[in-house]
Structure formats: structure tokens, C-alpha cells
Amino acid sequence: MAKMAFVSSPLDRMANHRTNAAWLSSQMTSENANFIQMFGDGLRMLANKPILNRPAGQHDFIFLGTDDKNAPWFAFSANAEGEMQALRPLMMSHTMPQEKLSIMAQARSLLHWHERHGFCANCGHQTEMSDAGYRRHCPSCKTDHFPRTDPVVIMAVRHGDRLLLGRQKAWAPGMYSAVAGFMEPGETLEQAVAREVKEETGIIVGKVSYVASQPWPFPSSLMVGCVAEAESDAISLDDKELEAARWFSFDDVRLMLNGKHPDGIHASHPWAIAHYVLTAALEV
Ligand SMILES: [Zn+2]
């Protein structure tokens, strides 16, 4: 099976060094340091030298970790119009190795959070980056703010030898995929799976099994992949969420995953966890 995107980071995040200014500074000036520049959806890799010649304090640098060759990786936010590539098409083009793509995901989620959290949610005062990018501190009310990760449950719902797939209006024609939705506060994974499936399709699910997870940096989700066993099979569609939902035979889903279904319908790409979760549901 082709590998999911964003799950292959080679970095040791070295979290216990994030408050060590001397150590961080020695890493930044190291010969083999890597720098990722990002702005909005755009990114580019830079050699270390041009960065270090910039005026001090011009950028807030995030320390991402050190790779398997002991080289440190940093990310910062600054525009470089015309010289940046967007992460999503980069992922889809398969031109960047999975390891590097996973580092980009970490950088993008963190920088996106910093770009939108310049002011304290508690008192409105300007906040300051600290802990090498893993905290923002409010000097006025002393509140610490931490980067967020938003869990999304995504599930293959199984009934005998059929799987329930849905389709959203915005998707490419013929595309069907696993049902998904954001977890809500106070829910277990199992409860979120059952609630989302019932809300979107009217199907009641019983047993839920965890399969795998995938960071999804648009901007900061964690996709939690599950297989759920259906206890009913009469679909009642919520057409605000889904345009269609249907039961497909295992044989149909196999053809859809391989892009070989005679009706031209297809399922998610191998870089998405939906592909992995549907495949897992066929194999049990
Ligand atoms: Zn504050």
C-alpha cells in the first residue's frame, strides 16, 4: 500500500531543549541547519546563510527538531512572493520525499497557529512566542497559550460485506469516501464516531476500532481513522453534510480504491487516511 502523507517525520523534536537559548542558537548557526520559510499556503527551503545575515529579531524561528543526520530544522514566517510552493499540490505531485513532507506539515500547522494568535484570547494584549515556537505568552495577564491540534474522526462503517461511503458536493465527480467529522469537547473517540455517522447518515454503529492516525496540516487537524460496525442499514441522509451516501460491496470498494470501477466512481487517494481506513475495513 502506498504510504499516507505526513506520517513519516524523521525528526527528534528534542522538546527538553526548547527553553535552552544557548543550545538553540548553536543549532541555528550550525553548518547543516535547515530553514523552511512559509507564508499562508506557500513554502520554500532556504540554505542557512541568507537567514543568518538578516537583522536579529526580524523573524521568530520555530525549532522543529533534529533529523537522522543530526541536522537541525527551523521554520519561520515571511513572504517571498513568486518563490513559494503550496503544500497541498506539493503533496499531490509526489515530488517531495515523504519524510520532508512530514516536516513541512509540522511547520505549517505551527506557523499557521502563530500567524493567528498574535493577541491574547484572555485579555487582548499582544503575545510573545516562547519555547522555540511551542508556546505564546501574554506579558499582561501572564496566560500561556499552546498550539492546538483538532481531532477529526474518519471511519469506514461496515455492515456484513458492505461499506458505507458518502460524498460531499464539493468533491470531484464520482468520488466517494469515508464519513468524517470533528470531535466535540467531552466526547470519547467512540462516541464521536457514533454521533457523526448517525448525524450524517442515520446509521447506528456499535463496536468501533481504532486503525491509524494522520496529521493533516490544513491547518492543524489530526485525522483519527476507525472501523465501525453498523447495527442498522437504512440510510437517512443529512443533505447539508453529504450529497449522497450508499452501501458499496467490498468488491466495489476494492475497484474504487484502485481507480478501476467500471462506473467511473472512485475512493480517496493513497496519501489520505480514508484510503488506508477503507482498505483496513476490507481486510479484517
Ligand atoms: Zn493576556
Side-chain angles (χ1 to χ4, degrees):
M1 188 192 292
K3 204 149 196 193
M4 278 192 280
F6 309 129
V7 299
S8 312
S9 177
L11 297 189
D12 178 345
R13 296 186 178 216
M14 312 278 279
N16 54 344
H17 285 73
R18 285 175 188 159
T19 52
N20 185 340
W23 185 86
L24 286 168
S25 142
S26 75
Q27 295 298 305
M28 275 184 79
T29 51
S30 137
E31 276 296 307
N32 55 4
N34 297 281
F35 291 88
I36 307 165
Q37 179 176 357
M38 288 192 170
F39 193 78
D41 283 333
L43 65 92
R44 66 169 177 166
M45 288 295 302
L46 288 175
N48 54 347
K49 298 303 176 198
I51 299 290
L52 300 174
N53 291 336
R54 286 162 195 258
Q58 186 177 345
H59 302 292
D60 283 323
F61 290 92
I62 292 173
F63 173 61
L64 300 169
T66 56
D67 65 21
D68 38 12
K69 295 186 187 68
N70 237 7
W73 286 71
F74 293 88
F76 66 100
S77 184
N79 202 355
E81 236 167 279
E83 296 174 59
M84 302 177 103
Q85 285 180 287
L87 182 55
R88 201 187 291 256
L90 202 56
M91 168 192 78
M92 290 159 75
S93 70
H94 299 286
T95 51
M96 182 176 272
Q98 289 291 350
E99 289 72 20
K100 211 162 161 184
L101 206 57
S102 303
I103 300 174
M104 300 297 156
Q106 180 188 356
R108 191 194 188 275
S109 287
L110 277 165
L111 285 169
H112 184 275
W113 179 74
H114 284 288
E115 283 169 12
R116 281 157 183 77
H117 291 80
F119 295 89
C120 180
N122 186 45
C123 77
H125 197 276
Q126 204 156 1
T127 57
E128 295 160 354
M129 184 190 286
S130 73
D131 294 10
Y134 285 80
R135 183 160 68 101
R136 292 194 76 88
H137 181 70
C138 174
S140 176
C141 74
K142 313 295 180 204
T143 302
D144 285 318
H145 302 276
F146 297 94
R148 57 188 285 175
T149 296
D150 302 319
V152 173
V153 286
I154 179 160
M155 42 279 174
V157 181
R158 188 163 54 188
H159 191 262
D161 56 0
R162 296 180 300 167
L163 292 185
L164 177 70
L165 303 186
R167 97 159 245 108
Q168 294 178 11
K169 213 171 266 172
W171 290 352
M175 158 95 168
Y176 282 83
S177 190
V179 177
F182 281 100
M183 285 189 70
E184 294 187 353
E187 275 184 323
T188 66
L189 284 174
E190 292 84 351
Q191 288 165 347
V193 167
R195 177 183 53 75
E196 282 291 342
V197 173
K198 184 157 180 277
E199 278 174 14
E200 296 192 14
T201 67
I203 300 295
I204 307 296
V205 304
K207 184 171 178 258
V208 173
S209 311
Y210 168 80
V211 174
S213 64
Q214 179 187 36
W216 193 248
F218 306 106
S220 56
S221 294
L222 176 69
M223 308 299 290
V224 183
C226 298
V227 174
E229 305 297 342
E231 295 185 341
S232 68
D233 71 346
I235 295 170
S236 157
L237 194 69
D238 174 1
D239 56 13
K240 283 190 286 297
E241 296 276 346
L242 294 174
E243 181 183 64
R246 283 174 49 185
W247 291 104
F248 291 89
S249 72
F250 280 14
D251 287 342
D252 274 335
V253 176
R254 274 188 202 99
L255 290 167
M256 289 164 75
L257 287 167
N258 294 329
K260 290 180 177 158
H261 198 284
D263 298 345
I265 50 176
H266 57 93
S268 311
H269 294 271
W271 40 254
I273 191 171
H275 187 103
Y276 191 91
V277 166
L278 294 176
T279 304
L282 298 174
E283 284 171 354
V284 177

